[in-house]
Amino acid sequence: MGLKENAPTLNQRIDTLDTVRGFALMGILLVNIVALLYAQTPEIGSVDHWLFQFFNFFVESRFFVIFSFLFGVGFYIFISRAKAKGANSTVLFIRRLIALLALGYVHKMFHPGEALFIYAIFGFILLPFYRLKARTNLIIGLILSIAVCATGFKPLLVLPLFILGLAVGQYGVFQDIPRFLPVIKKVQGVTFVLSLIGLFIQYRLTPADPAMGGANLVVDDTVSEETLQQLMNYTVALTSTGLVMAAFYTTTLIRLLQNKTVQTILSPLTSYGRMALTNYVGQTVLILVGSYLFDWFGNLGYLQTTLICLGIYMVQMVFSVLWLSVFRTGPLEWVWRLFTYMKITPLRK
């Protein structure tokens, strides 16, 4: 393919990266709110049940993959830019991870399923991979991803996805998308076919009881070994299909963003993704405050949680656009930068 490592331009925002990150954040909220509010298990045949099935086939284990992959891309860009400026990139990134670890620890008290704490831990493991060639990281990331999918244990996918993101960053895909469009089109085509196959397998393995599948997996002492094996097979299918569908979603969105009209329409999503840390934590705050004020906890179904998500999207996108019209970066992103560089930088434009 004639690929070579390609460093990003200093201080240049990559809008496509921000837009894809915002897209991932939207999907993550749809899954997280169900667990945070203990959404009611839907009755078969109800609207909530159809939404539950939609989430299992098109949302669960898809957007988490994209968000984790983008962390690896961001890691490469951060380290490369720090090196280009003559800074000690390793020290800066370690400070960045420590700050993320602290924030994730606090966030985990209110949101047990949050990802920042795990990201920070795996971030330390990612550091040595920067010294490897892009091709080596690509191969390692693919092999580890396949191995983890075979276990069905989604949290272990974080490191392979970080490494894959690092490899894509080393190749410079997001820094020079037009040059990589032929490769992106091929990946899109292959992952589309694999997604159809994976969805069919996942459908055949889907448990009849909604409480036994997807994000609401419930297992107790009364479950037989045969049922446990079925659940294991379903989890493997869910995780594997999620991986290839995430690649299809990402490549499709990248291609759409080559159109100027699409870029304009999705510009609020770009601002949303540019403030991903603020909006990710803000999602939890809005959900918990709403639950306290309106007694949502344990009393809502999937339709209601989805409508709440739509409201949160609207509020946060408007906030992100207005905030970035005045300030250089999001509030939590500014604090994160403060701890990374140990100096105060201007927040207002």
Side-chain angles (χ1 to χ4, degrees), residues 162-181:
F162 280 5
I163 297 171
L164 285 174
L166 169 59
V168 168
Q170 289 173 312
Y171 280 128
V173 174
F174 282 94
Q175 298 91 306
D176 190 6
I177 290 175
R179 183 165 71 95
F180 288 93
L181 273 179

Side-chain angles (χ1 to χ4, degrees), residues 53-271:
Q53 295 289 25
F54 174 81
F55 291 160
N56 276 351
F57 287 104
F58 297 100
V59 180
E60 173 68 25
S61 297
R62 275 69 170 165
F63 293 88
F64 160 82
V65 170
I66 300 173
F67 205 63
S68 302
F69 164 78
L70 293 179
F71 184 95
V73 179
F75 162 75
Y76 171 77
I77 293 174
F78 177 87
I79 294 288
S80 299
R81 288 177 174 172
K83 284 181 175 293
K85 294 176 182 178
N88 190 326
S89 58
T90 302
V91 171
L92 290 178
F93 193 69
I94 287 175
R95 285 185 199 155
R96 192 171 177 83
L97 289 176
I98 292 173
L100 190 65
L101 190 70
L103 178 60
Y105 180 79
V106 175
H107 191 218
K108 193 158 68 77
M109 296 178 184
F110 303 93
H111 181 5
E114 77 94 38
L116 302 180
F117 190 77
I118 297 174
Y119 280 12
I121 292 173
F122 280 109
F124 287 104
I125 303 174
L126 182 64
L127 274 167
F129 289 91
Y130 182 85
R131 300 179 180 275
L132 302 179
K133 297 290 186 182
R135 182 182 178 84
T136 304
N137 281 325
L138 184 63
I139 293 171
I140 292 174
L142 287 172
I143 291 174
L144 289 178
S145 295
I146 294 170
V148 172
C149 284
T151 69
F153 190 55
K154 188 175 68 173
L156 287 181
L157 264 179
V158 171
L159 182 59
L161 291 169
F162 280 5
I163 297 171
L164 285 174
L166 169 59
V168 168
Q170 289 173 312
Y171 280 128
V173 174
F174 282 94
Q175 298 91 306
D176 190 6
I177 290 175
R179 183 165 71 95
F180 288 93
L181 273 179
V183 179
I184 292 170
K185 289 177 182 178
K186 290 178 183 178
V187 174
Q188 182 191 31
V190 171
T191 53
F192 174 70
V193 174
L194 291 177
S195 294
L196 293 178
I197 296 171
L199 285 171
F200 175 74
I201 296 173
Q202 185 182 334
Y203 171 75
R204 294 297 299 269
L205 297 174
T206 300
D209 184 356
M212 301 295 282
N216 285 349
L217 180 61
V218 177
V219 178
D220 54 40
D221 295 336
T222 63
V223 177
S224 65
E225 285 191 24
E226 182 181 357
T227 302
L228 284 175
Q229 185 59 52
Q230 290 175 347
L231 289 173
M232 178 63 185
N233 294 339
Y234 173 77
T235 305
V236 171
L238 175 69
T239 306
S240 304
T241 306
L243 184 67
V244 294
M245 285 190 73
F248 173 69
Y249 287 169
T250 303
T251 50
T252 300
L253 183 55
I254 289 173
R255 291 192 62 188
L256 288 172
L257 287 168
Q258 303 315 297
N259 182 286
K260 294 293 184 182
T261 303
V262 174
Q263 291 176 17
T264 302
I265 294 172
L266 296 183
S267 58
L269 186 60
T270 307
S271 299

Side-chain angles (χ1 to χ4, degrees), residues 303-323:
L303 177 59
Q304 292 163 311
T305 59
T306 302
L307 292 174
I308 292 171
C309 286
L310 294 177
I312 291 175
Y313 296 153
M314 187 179 301
V315 169
Q316 289 193 319
M317 284 189 194
V318 170
F319 173 74
S320 298
V321 171
L322 293 176
W323 180 275

Side-chain angles (χ1 to χ4, degrees), residues 293-308:
L293 293 176
F294 305 107
D295 193 27
W296 288 342
F297 192 78
N299 296 319
L300 302 182
Y302 277 71
L303 177 59
Q304 292 163 311
T305 59
T306 302
L307 292 174
I308 292 171

